Amino acid sequence: MSTTSYAVAPPPVPSVPVIGSGQRFPVRRIFCVGRNYAAHVREMGGDTAREKPIFFTKPADAIVPDGADVPYPSATSDLHHEVELVLAIGQGGVDMSVEAAEAAIWGWAVGVDFTRRDLQAEAKSKGQPWDTAKAFDASAPIGAITPRSAVPRAAGHIRLSVNGAQRQDADLSDMIWSPTEIVMAASRLWRLMPGDLIYTGTPEGVAAVQRGDKVECAIDGLAPLSFRMV
Ligand code: MN
């Protein structure tokens, strides 16, 4: 048996701590849902009619786990926070049924989908892709994952504060598409795999952060997330 010889060092596996164990959850891909809370759709000037969920992606190594500092990215002067429920996929599959989609969710976390809002507005106006607005380095801070064996259903408040001032405060029941519906929809577009994360969209109250800001996020029943912008 020969050992593979890599031309450059192979990248490390990005991972997120799991609450209540010494284990970490290995991240394979990051999917994100846009426009999943009606009040946020309205604040972005959109139409709240229920259409198919909109997906975009980030690279797996965009995560910032363990409450590490988040570097303010290049090429923007309007970096917005979007607090979101994150699904951690433990069982893969395609064209999932309701039951399969529920069983596929291994755990939950609170995360932030950071957005270069100025670049997103430019992309939207020109009909260009969102990658530079969404899929940049360190654009996906995430708290520790709570297994579904401990919390069978994510429910209750989702909130984010900056320097102690509340910016986003909503209820997960305000989501247009439920976690199960999101997993089903994603499984019609990709073969979901263990290690995939799905950021499920943000409620209203998105706004800019600056270097030095302290950002605190929470979802009832899940491990909180706190980090500083540097
Ligand atoms: Mn988002």
Side-chain angles (χ1 to χ4, degrees), residues 83 112 159-166 168 214-218 224-227:
V83 67
V112 176
R159 35 189 194 277
L160 177 146
S161 69
V162 177
N163 303 327
Q166 196 85 351
Q168 294 185 271
K214 185 173 190 198
V215 180
E216 294 175 285
C217 314
L225 167 64
S226 171
F227 58 87

Side-chain angles (χ1 to χ4, degrees), residues 6 20 25 34 77-78 87 93 96 99 115 118 137 184 209 220:
Y6 293 107
F25 186 89
S77 54
D78 197 19
L87 314 178
M96 288 182 181
E99 295 74 24
T115 303
D118 38 7
D137 297 342
M184 291 172 70
V209 293
D220 289 350

Side-chain angles (χ1 to χ4, degrees), residues 117-142:
R117 193 69 73 200
D118 38 7
L119 297 194
Q120 187 193 33
E122 186 182 350
K124 281 181 176 176
S125 73
K126 295 180 178 171
Q128 293 173 345
W130 287 8
D131 300 58
T132 60
K134 290 289 197 178
F136 52 91
D137 297 342
S139 60
I142 184 169

Side-chain angles (χ1 to χ4, degrees), residues 32-35 40 56 58 82-84 112-115 117 134 199-202 206:
C32 304
V33 176
R35 301 175 193 165
H40 172 62
F56 57 92
K58 295 175 187 266
E82 297 190 354
V83 67
E84 311 200 353
V112 176
D113 162 22
F114 269 122
T115 303
R117 193 69 73 200
K134 290 289 197 178
Y199 284 59
T200 59
T202 199
V206 301

